[in-house]
Amino acid sequence: MGAAWPGRCGRDPCGALCLLLTYLSVGYADYVILTHILLQPGFRGSLWCPFHAVMFNLIVLLLLACHTRAVFADPGMVPLPDTAIDFSDLRSNTPHKSERSNEDWTVCNRCETYRPPRAHHCRICHRCVRRMDHHCPWINNCVGELNQKYFIQFLFYTGLASLYAMGLVLTTWLWPVDRSFPGKMEGVAGGISNNHVQMAHCIVLLVESILFGVFVTVIFYDQVVSIIMDETPIEQLRNRLLKEARREVAHTRKPKIALLREVFGRGFVICWFFPCNCSPPSSGAPAYSYLPNYDV
């Protein structure tokens, strides 16, 4: 079911463009660091060259793995019924639902099906998604209940790679000469500072790292806050419009660590940094149903 999901969002030209831009940006950053930074006299010939090459590419590998999982994972789409559902009793305001367990179930007029609490319809994917956060063009998919972990990991490693790239560029500019060989750079005026091609690549990489770093940091912070507050951006906007920020169910909010574990898994905290499901077998993916439980 997860593999078929991105195909429904594949017609979004903005999402396809953002996917291409993401891979081109990551590939360009890796190229500049390996070719125009680590092979310069400040790193070449020292143990720092293979160390930074391995560490940066490890971050890039985790970044791409998390991004791939976020793209191809099912965000938690609400299944469509095999046959049409009769909503005549609901439209006639007949009290048919159980007030105990189904008071938050709603009907999606676009999908023509019941949807569970906190599920919302995505106008791009044309499906309802459980605990939908938003539709992200950078993964060409919705961010929902089942792939929010991978999306946040992608943001984390993108910010870490941006910070790493900025540090390498600044280090190359501040220490352009390999001090282990004082006479090696004689006759090369300033090393990388006078090489216009290398300087241009480093400037572009620095600007790219700053832009992407600030961008993903803001989104990462917003994602963590929404998890801790137990409110998606859609719910925050709705409560703001309805002026219900202090609604009656506020006292039932779960502890912050419990809310984080719902997204990242109930295993060890170290597993939160890897794009895999590290939860115990008993806490697997929730079973989906397109019908609420009625009292018959």
Side-chain angles (χ1 to χ4, degrees):
M1 181 172 60
W5 174 259
R8 299 186 176 93
C9 304
R11 296 181 180 179
D12 180 23
C14 180
L17 180 62
C18 288
L19 282 180
L20 179 62
L21 181 61
T22 299
Y23 290 118
L24 289 178
S25 300
V26 173
Y28 176 77
D30 198 36
Y31 161 75
V32 173
I33 287 177
L34 294 179
T35 306
H36 296 287
I37 293 181
L38 295 183
L39 293 183
Q40 295 309 304
F43 290 106
R44 187 175 55 199
S46 67
L47 293 178
W48 289 112
C49 179
F51 173 79
H52 288 304
V54 171
M55 291 302 297
F56 185 79
N57 279 275
L58 178 61
I59 296 175
V60 169
L61 180 62
L62 291 171
L63 183 158
L64 295 177
C66 296
H67 184 264
T68 303
R69 291 298 300 271
V71 170
F72 290 98
D74 174 14
M77 62 179 179
V78 178
L80 297 176
D82 297 330
T83 58
I85 301 177
D86 184 13
F87 295 116
S88 58
D89 58 337
L90 189 140
R91 293 191 180 97
S92 61
N93 297 325
T94 303
H96 188 66
K97 294 195 298 180
S98 169
E99 297 181 356
R100 181 181 67 257
S101 60
N102 303 314
E103 57 182 1
D104 293 330
W105 281 72
T106 56
V107 173
C108 178
N109 294 326
R110 297 184 179 93
C111 293
E112 295 185 349
T113 184
Y114 291 102
R115 57 187 177 188
R118 308 187 69 179
H120 301 280
H121 185 85
C122 176
R123 60 181 180 85
I124 298 177
C125 298
H126 307 293
R127 293 294 295 274
C128 288
V129 180
R130 295 176 63 99
R131 206 172 69 195
M132 175 181 171
D133 190 276
H134 68 288
H135 181 91
C136 179
W138 294 101
I139 63 174
N140 199 23
N141 197 359
C142 284
V143 178
E145 184 177 15
L146 298 185
N147 69 340
Q148 187 177 21
K149 169 185 176 179
Y150 308 128
F151 177 69
I152 295 178
Q153 289 174 336
F154 163 66
L155 298 176
F156 174 78
Y157 287 115
T158 301
L160 187 60
S162 301
L163 184 62
Y164 206 140
M166 285 188 287
L168 289 177
V169 171
L170 295 177
T171 300
T172 304
W173 285 350
L174 295 176
W175 293 281
V177 179
D178 189 352
R179 299 180 180 180
S180 301
F181 303 94
K184 189 174 182 179
M185 290 299 297
E186 293 180 359
V188 182
I192 193 175
S193 60
N194 287 341
N195 191 316
H196 300 295
V197 175
Q198 294 170 346
M199 175 64 73
H201 281 299
C202 289
I203 292 176
V204 173
L205 176 60
L206 184 62
V207 173
E208 174 189 323
S209 300
I210 293 175
L211 293 178
F212 275 88
V214 173
F215 180 68
V216 299
T217 299
V218 172
I219 301 180
F220 178 84
Y221 173 79
D222 182 70
Q223 288 288 304
V224 174
V225 170
S226 66
I227 294 174
I228 295 177
M229 299 301 295
D230 197 19
E231 282 186 340
T232 65
I234 297 177
E235 294 169 345
Q236 293 176 5
L237 178 61
R238 181 191 60 190
N239 293 332
R240 192 178 300 116
L241 294 175
L242 298 178
K243 298 180 180 180
E244 293 178 355
R246 296 182 178 179
R247 59 191 187 281
E248 296 180 357
V249 299
H251 67 277
T252 61
R253 183 174 296 164
K254 300 178 182 179
K256 294 181 176 60
I257 187 64
L259 294 171
L260 290 172
R261 288 183 180 277
E262 285 185 358
V263 174
F264 292 99
R266 294 175 173 81
F268 295 103
V269 176
I270 190 64
C271 296
W272 293 5
F273 295 92
F274 300 99
C276 58
N277 186 7
C278 302
S279 300
S282 59
S283 58
Y288 293 136
S289 174
Y290 55 83
L291 284 175
N293 296 320
Y294 286 121
D295 289 340
V296 181

